[in-house]
Amino acid sequence: MSHHYSGPDFGFPHGDARLDFTDLYAFPKPGDGGKSILIMNVHPSAGVNPPGLTTAVAFAPDAIYELKIDTNGDATADIAYRVRFFSSEGGAQTATFRRVEGAQAAGTGDDGQVIVEGVPVSTGQETRVTEAGDHRFFVGWRSDPFYFDVEGALHDLQFTGADYFADKDICSIVLEVPNSALSPKKVGLWCRTLDGASGKWVQADRGARPNQTPFLAGEQNAAYLAAEPADDARFIPVFAHALEHTGGYTPAEATRVAGTLLPDILHYDPTRPASFPANGRALADDVVDFFLPLLTNGKVTQDKVGPHKDLLAGFPYVGPPHTARATKLVGA
């Protein structure tokens, strides 16, 4: 399910839905080839294990939400955008965005140059956009753009086209950045969430490409979520074993295919149109129909679900939420 429910047994990392990274999108700004749109989605509005609605509080105040950017192809971050959230009296949340470059970008912490403070979190149908210099920002609840027939996946890949996510919401962190803030050439992107509830920063979730976690279970899942892309080669045997089982691949072919999925980085060249998996990922890209033939070795090719109709033509591009949520800190 993309990267939704990436914790143990389809639960949430560290038991907190707000720490669950779900999807990363990167595409050129429509009508302006000099800028890019980067979207990090977290916090599904409904859980599977446990089932039911998650907290109305959009983001965890004791967490860091981070977008990592590798500019030289070594799977180590050279630039990072870090976001922290703060709650005011009455429960409204605001965000502070920082940018970090160099060795600090590969580290863990809430340091970095402040780009903007006080970005309001949108909890209803409003779209509250903040501008700071040549950047634009949005944070808040939105309609989940991911689409997939979950029930079909749970019933031996017998798909009927029922979109589980059609009425689900997500929390989006949307950045509009000049391409000069990235790199003059192709970059590698990934996201992560850091949990600070214990008094120190611990990586709770990470990812870039959709549909990676189905290859993992138990201790492998925990190790993967805590790892860095630069170390992902160690997971190739795990992915290969899953491909042998699900797709009937030979061991050699399974290893080859697994190697195309790792490291878990989304490659993006802002000078080219976005199209997953070749370049970035647009909101309407059908990542499931790319993944299913790979998983099954061509036996299953589609889930019969198409893009959502509520995507916006302009910033923040992700559609308005299906449900307005109060700012009162219920379940925090």
Side-chain angles (χ1 to χ4, degrees):
M1 287 183 284
S2 191
H3 202 85
H4 295 66
Y5 319 119
S6 49
D9 300 319
F10 295 102
F12 296 118
H14 294 198
D16 190 338
R18 299 170 299 181
L19 298 175
D20 193 317
F21 159 72
T22 66
D23 286 286
L24 169 62
Y25 301 89
F27 52 91
K29 179 182 178 180
D32 187 349
K35 296 182 179 179
S36 289
I37 307 301
L38 308 176
I39 301 176
M40 175 184 182
N41 282 346
V42 299
H43 187 180
S45 62
V48 173
N49 182 24
L53 298 178
T54 59
T55 175
V57 182
F59 302 95
D62 53 357
I64 295 175
Y65 298 82
E66 195 167 31
L67 174 66
K68 297 277 200 178
I69 304 170
D70 168 29
T71 63
N72 60 11
D74 65 355
T76 299
D78 303 291
I79 302 169
Y81 284 94
R82 291 175 177 158
V83 192
R84 286 206 66 184
F85 292 88
F86 302 89
S87 299
S88 61
E89 188 174 349
Q93 289 188 309
T94 61
T96 294
F97 283 79
R98 289 180 169 86
R99 179 182 165 95
V100 193
E101 298 182 16
Q104 286 184 315
T108 297
D110 60 353
D111 51 356
Q113 179 183 358
V114 174
I115 304 176
V116 63
E117 297 179 283
V119 177
V121 173
S122 297
T123 59
Q125 297 297 312
E126 78 281 4
T127 302
R128 306 169 74 179
V129 178
T130 300
E131 297 191 18
D134 49 10
H135 288 62
R136 300 179 83 192
F137 306 90
F138 171 86
V139 286
W141 285 101
R142 302 306 282 176
S143 170
D144 193 340
F146 183 62
Y147 50 99
F148 182 41
D149 180 357
V150 173
E151 283 299 313
L154 297 176
H155 290 84
D156 198 28
L157 303 183
Q158 299 299 308
F159 294 111
T160 64
D163 184 3
Y164 172 84
F165 294 96
D167 60 352
K168 303 298 189 296
D169 291 332
I170 207 75
C171 290
S172 291
I173 300 171
V174 186
L175 291 79
E176 178 184 300
V177 303
N179 292 339
S180 59
L182 302 176
S183 173
K185 53 188 178 180
K186 183 170 66 174
V187 297
L189 306 172
W190 68 97
C191 297
R192 70 174 182 173
T193 60
L194 299 173
D195 184 1
S198 66
K200 62 179 181 179
W201 297 116
V202 178
Q203 184 168 298
D205 200 359
R206 62 101 177 191
R209 297 171 59 97
N211 304 311
Q212 298 287 87
T213 51
F215 292 107
L216 304 153
E219 294 181 359
Q220 298 166 348
N221 177 275
Y224 184 81
L225 297 184
E228 298 284 346
D231 300 323
D232 275 353
R234 66 188 174 110
F235 296 104
I236 289 178
V238 178
F239 278 48
H241 178 75
L243 288 169
E244 289 180 52
H245 175 73
T246 59
Y249 287 92
T250 65
E253 185 66 5
T255 298
R256 184 195 67 79
V257 174
T260 68
L261 300 174
L262 297 167
D264 190 358
I265 289 177
L266 185 70
H267 296 288
Y268 173 60
D269 179 348
T271 67
R272 298 169 48 215
S275 179
F276 184 86
N279 189 52
R281 179 183 175 190
L283 288 166
D285 282 350
D286 199 333
V287 296
V288 171
D289 284 4
F290 165 79
F291 175 72
L292 285 173
L294 183 149
L295 178 70
T296 65
N297 202 3
K299 298 179 181 67
V300 180
T301 59
Q302 60 177 317
D303 70 338
K304 304 178 183 178
V305 179
H308 295 166
K309 305 299 184 182
D310 58 359
L311 301 176
L312 305 180
F315 194 87
Y317 303 97
V318 191
H322 299 280
T323 303
R325 288 163 178 82
T327 56
K328 186 178 179 182
L329 293 182
V330 178

